[in-house]
């Protein structure tokens, strides 16, 4: 049962379409109309809703922007609905509203469920909602990469599981190989770097700097350079505080303070406030004594030795030379020690190159063996899936008026001495394995299988693509399929068979087909006619559902170019009757 359905699209100012509404329904819908009427704009519009590239040339001449809006019914538990809600979108009565605007200047905006979203999110949801196939997709099927992707998609987990393991091993091998190449090809540069680091570390070790030493030495040099002035100042201060032995009559601060304390001590018992002041003066006396003692010791210990000053300056010069070479001058010895720490770690790394090369070589060889085994598993899985896939597509082609056609796959590898060993051969490998996958077609008995790019006509390629999609519908279905000119180059009985097969596909999915063949349109559950007005535009009334007599007239036009031809009408009615009987 179809659980996701594209219900409606409104298209404004896109190409020849002025303002039109395309009403869709479950089952098989055929979109028909005169050449140039704008049928392919349906595909283009859907492509925009699904995150396709915005081309400002699509905007109708004279309009400022083109707008496409779509309504898709989506169950609340569907993964597309969950992803949309994660982006802030809201469902509208069980439907997801999608909008895309393209300005004439090339700007593009996307909205999902009432929220502005990145265009990439629409493309992300597209894989779960709609499969679009046009003539460009037919050409895409000619590419070997697309053919390999189609086979892998059909194989499912049988390929996906080993492919995921292979991809991880392949990524790791590239990383290991790149690191190994970097070490070996830059061995000379790395050796030179190691010598430079070793020289610097030896030079620093010879000086043996200590953290903060430069600051200490600067302070000492300043003190030694002014030793006489410092000694004289300390001696003079000591004399003022504690007295000068050479001047017994002199008055010093300690004597004065002691006299003040004695004067207060005599009367302290009469007033607590005065007693407190006496105590504080006593504390001052003690402090003066301590300071005086320290001044005397400072003056005695002060070293005015010029030899010591010379040694300090020499040491400072040695540290300065290190700072200029290995650090930032304003940061001093700390920067030198930081450089030494970093360089020692780097030297350990460089000195371990030989050991690292051995480790990387061993890991590379092990990964190559692992990769070869995983590549073989991929080849085996693809080979098995290819037989089933080819048989299923061949059976579908028999239902599409190609009863004698045979489809097969050529799965091969390319010899490469730098590759990995697979099944006893050394072959090239890439991110998806060692296999080159090519789809072959033998259109009739006796014809050798040839690549579809060379061996299939336009009509045959259309049918091969449809057959592939029908096979996918049974294994990895999407809710909606939209085909544009899938019947290109086809006519007669083949066209009837394509219509019949599309009708069968529509029993399990929504199918929308833009077609010019009445044999295909006759099988549709609903037929939409796109027609222009006299001014060459498609308006709201220009896309309408055909029923009864109107549908017979359109099929007659498609058959003979004459809506009122009795012969064409009879043929159209016959096509409709046959299609209904087949259903």
């Amino acid at each position: 049962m179809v659980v996701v359905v594209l219900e409606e699209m409104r298209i404004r100012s896109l190409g020849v379409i002025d303002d039109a509404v395309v009403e869709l329904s479950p089952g098989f819908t055929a979109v028909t109309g005169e050449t140039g009427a704008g049928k392919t704009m349906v595909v283009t519009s859907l492509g925009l809703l699904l995150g396709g590239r915005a081309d400002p040339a699509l905007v109708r001449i004279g309009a400022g922007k083109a707008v496409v809006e779509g309504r898709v019914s989506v169950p609340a538990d569907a993964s597309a609905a969950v992803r949309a809600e994660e982006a802030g979108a809201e469902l509208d009565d069980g439907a997801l509203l999608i909008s895309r605007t393209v300005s004439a200047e090339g700007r593009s905006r996307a909205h999902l469920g009432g929220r502005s979203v990145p265009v990439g999110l629409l493309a992300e949801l597209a894989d779960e909602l709609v499969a679009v196939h046009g003539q460009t997709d037919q050409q895409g099927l000619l590419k070997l990469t697309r053919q390999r992707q189609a086979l892998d998609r059909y194989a499912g987990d049988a390929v996906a599981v080993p492919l995921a393991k292979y991809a991880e091993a392949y990524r790791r091998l590239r990383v290991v190989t790149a690191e190994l190449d970097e070490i070996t090809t830059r061995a000379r540069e790395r050796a030179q770097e190691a010598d430079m680091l070793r020289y610097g570390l030896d030079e620093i070790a010879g000086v043996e700097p200590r953290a903060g030493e430069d600051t200490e030495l600067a302070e000492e040099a300043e003190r030694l350079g002014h030793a006489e002035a410092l000694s004289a100042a300390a001696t003079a201060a000591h004399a003022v505080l504690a007295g000068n032995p050479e001047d017994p009559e002199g008055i010093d601060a300690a004597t004065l303070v002691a006299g003040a304390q004695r004067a207060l001590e005599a009367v302290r018992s009469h007033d607590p406030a005065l007693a407190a002041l006496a105590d504080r003066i006593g504390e001052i006396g003690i402090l003066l004594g301590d300071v005086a003692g320290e001044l005397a010791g400072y003056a005695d210990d002060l070293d005015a030795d010029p030899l010591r000053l010379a040694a300090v300056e020499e040491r400072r010069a040695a540290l300065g030379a290190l700072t200029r070479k290995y650090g930032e001058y304003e940061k001093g010895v700390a920067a030198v020690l930081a450089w030494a720490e970093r360089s020692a770690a780097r030297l350990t790394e460089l000195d371990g190159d030989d050991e690292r090369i051995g480790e990387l070589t061993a890991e590379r060889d092990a990964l190559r063996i692992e990769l070869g085994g995983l590549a073989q598993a991929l080849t085996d899985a693809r080979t098995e899936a290819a037989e089933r896939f080819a048989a299923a597509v061949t059976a579908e082609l028999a239902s599409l008026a190609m009863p004698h056609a045979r489809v097969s796959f050529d799965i091969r590898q390319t010899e490469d001495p730098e590759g990995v060993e697979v099944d006893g051969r050394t072959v090239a490998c890439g991110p998806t394995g060692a296999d080159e996958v090519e789809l072959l077609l033998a259109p009739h008995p006796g014809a050798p299988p040839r690549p579809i790019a060379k061996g299939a006509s336009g009509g045959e390629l259309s049918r091969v693509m449809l057959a592939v999609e029908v096979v996918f519908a049974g294994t990895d279905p999407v809710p909606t399929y939209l085909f544009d000119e899938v019947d290109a180059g086809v006519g007669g009985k083949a066209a009837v068979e394509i219509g019949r097969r599309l009708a069968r596909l529509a029993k399990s999915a929504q199918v929308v087909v833009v077609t010019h063949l009445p044999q295909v349109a006759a099988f549709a559950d609903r037929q939409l006619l796109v027609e222009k007005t006299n001014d060459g535009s498609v308006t709201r009334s220009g896309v309408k559902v055909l029923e009864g007599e109107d549908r017979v007239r359109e099929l007659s036009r498609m058959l003979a170019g004459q809506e009122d031809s009795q012969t064409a009408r009879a043929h159209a009615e016959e096509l409709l009757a046959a299609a209904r009987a087949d259903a």
Side-chain angles (χ1 to χ4, degrees):
M1 185 178 73
V2 178
V3 294
V4 179
V5 174
L6 177 63
E7 297 179 341
E8 180 182 276
M9 284 196 303
R10 184 179 181 185
I11 310 166
R12 287 179 286 170
S13 301
L14 186 72
V16 299
I17 299 180
D18 179 23
D19 188 347
V21 175
V22 180
E23 297 180 357
L24 302 171
S25 64
F28 181 6
T29 299
V31 181
T32 64
E34 294 278 4
T35 301
K39 300 187 300 298
T40 57
M41 285 297 103
V42 175
V43 181
T44 302
S45 300
L46 187 56
L48 287 172
L49 287 181
L50 300 178
R53 187 177 69 89
D55 184 355
L58 294 172
V59 180
R60 182 172 171 80
I61 297 175
K65 62 183 179 181
V67 181
V68 182
E69 299 169 313
R71 182 181 178 88
V72 183
S73 67
V74 184
D77 59 349
S79 57
V82 173
R83 180 67 186 92
E85 289 180 343
E86 289 174 353
E90 296 181 358
L91 292 180
D92 179 20
D93 193 22
L96 191 60
L97 303 181
I98 308 174
S99 175
R100 185 81 181 275
T101 302
V102 181
S103 72
E105 292 79 25
R107 294 188 300 273
S108 172
R109 294 180 179 177
H111 289 81
L112 182 67
R115 290 290 299 272
S116 178
V117 297
V119 173
L121 178 59
L122 301 187
E124 182 181 333
L125 297 179
D127 292 337
E128 302 177 33
L129 298 176
V130 181
V132 180
H133 296 281
Q135 295 186 48
T136 55
D137 298 279
Q138 295 182 30
Q139 297 303 313
L141 190 61
L142 301 180
K143 299 178 181 179
L144 298 187
T145 300
R146 288 284 295 274
Q147 294 172 23
R148 193 262 310 155
Q149 291 172 344
L151 177 58
D152 288 356
R153 175 185 166 194
Y154 177 81
D157 288 344
V159 166
V161 172
L163 181 57
K165 296 179 181 177
Y166 174 93
E168 176 58 28
Y170 181 80
R171 184 200 62 79
R172 179 58 188 165
L173 178 60
R174 286 176 61 88
V175 171
V176 169
T177 302
E179 185 177 352
L180 187 57
D181 289 345
E182 194 271 341
I183 292 177
T184 54
T185 57
R186 293 188 55 208
R188 181 175 180 180
E189 292 90 338
R190 293 169 72 90
Q192 291 174 342
E193 182 185 357
D195 287 344
M196 183 194 72
L197 294 176
R198 195 173 288 109
Y199 176 85
L201 289 170
D202 289 344
E203 187 174 10
I204 293 172
V207 177
E208 295 184 335
R210 292 183 295 102
E213 183 182 4
D214 49 346
T215 302
E216 295 173 3
L217 289 174
E219 293 173 354
E220 185 177 1
E222 183 72 13
R223 187 168 59 251
L224 291 173
H226 299 83
E228 292 184 4
L230 293 173
S231 177
T235 301
H238 178 270
V240 171
L241 295 179
N244 187 349
E246 297 179 0
D247 184 13
E249 301 299 326
I251 300 176
D252 56 81
T255 300
L256 293 174
V257 170
Q261 185 180 17
R262 286 194 299 272
L264 296 179
E265 286 291 341
V267 295
R268 63 176 298 153
S269 60
H270 302 303
D271 188 348
L274 198 62
L277 292 174
D279 292 340
R280 291 171 63 185
I281 291 176
E283 294 172 359
I284 292 173
I286 294 172
L287 181 60
L288 284 175
D290 291 342
V291 173
E294 290 182 15
L295 286 171
Y298 177 85
D300 292 339
D301 295 339
L302 190 62
D303 188 0
D305 185 0
L307 295 179
R308 174 57 187 167
L309 178 59
V312 169
E313 293 295 353
E314 182 179 355
R315 179 65 176 174
R316 292 184 69 197
L319 294 177
L322 291 181
T323 301
R324 285 189 294 273
K325 284 186 179 181
Y326 307 110
E328 301 174 37
Y329 191 77
E330 59 273 12
K331 293 185 178 179
V333 170
V336 174
L337 295 175
W339 183 91
E341 183 178 359
R342 293 194 305 271
S343 298
R346 175 60 174 165
L347 185 59
T348 300
E349 177 185 338
L350 294 172
D351 286 342
D353 273 0
D354 290 342
E355 181 180 350
R356 183 59 177 159
I357 288 174
E359 293 174 352
L360 290 172
T361 301
E363 184 177 3
R364 180 199 62 187
D365 294 343
L367 284 169
R368 287 167 64 89
I369 294 173
E370 179 185 0
L371 206 64
L374 291 170
Q376 181 64 61
L378 278 174
T379 300
D380 293 343
R382 284 172 175 152
T383 300
E384 189 277 331
E387 294 179 359
R388 293 185 290 108
F389 192 21
V393 173
T394 297
E396 285 298 327
L397 288 177
S399 300
L400 295 172
M402 294 179 68
H404 304 297
R406 294 292 180 270
V407 166
S408 60
F409 280 94
D410 178 20
I411 301 177
R412 58 183 181 271
Q413 297 82 34
T414 301
E415 299 277 352
D416 182 356
E418 300 298 323
V420 299
E421 185 172 336
V422 178
D423 196 22
R425 296 185 302 137
T426 304
V427 300
C429 66
T432 58
D435 302 320
E436 293 180 20
V437 178
E438 188 163 29
L439 186 61
L440 308 178
L441 174 68
H444 53 81
R450 300 182 64 194
I452 59 172
K454 300 177 181 178
S457 65
E460 289 169 339
L461 184 58
S462 297
R463 281 177 278 177
V464 170
M465 189 189 73
L466 177 57
V468 168
E469 200 58 68
V470 169
V471 171
F472 280 148
T475 58
D476 184 22
V478 294
T480 299
Y481 295 89
L482 193 148
F483 296 95
D484 181 21
E485 304 290 354
V486 70
D487 47 18
V490 178
K493 182 179 179 182
V496 173
E497 294 302 330
I498 287 179
R500 180 176 289 115
R501 201 62 193 89
L502 288 169
R504 293 179 187 173
L505 177 61
K507 294 184 182 301
S508 59
Q510 182 184 30
V511 177
V512 181
V513 179
V514 177
T515 182
H516 66 281
L517 291 181
Q519 297 94 326
V520 173
F523 280 89
D525 301 309
R526 168 180 285 197
Q527 184 171 346
L528 300 180
L529 174 64
V530 180
E531 58 183 358
K532 295 180 180 179
T533 58
N534 293 333
D535 65 358
S537 67
V538 177
T539 62
R540 180 180 292 271
S541 62
V543 181
K544 59 183 181 181
V545 179
L546 298 180
E547 296 178 346
E549 180 64 23
D550 289 338
R551 188 172 185 186
V552 172
R553 283 175 57 82
E554 171 62 8
L555 290 176
S556 299
R557 182 199 63 77
M558 297 172 71
L559 283 163
Q562 299 176 353
E563 295 89 336
D564 299 322
S565 167
Q566 292 302 315
T567 302
R569 288 176 57 82
H571 191 183
E573 291 172 348
E574 183 181 357
L575 281 176
L576 287 171
R580 295 191 188 99
D582 188 78

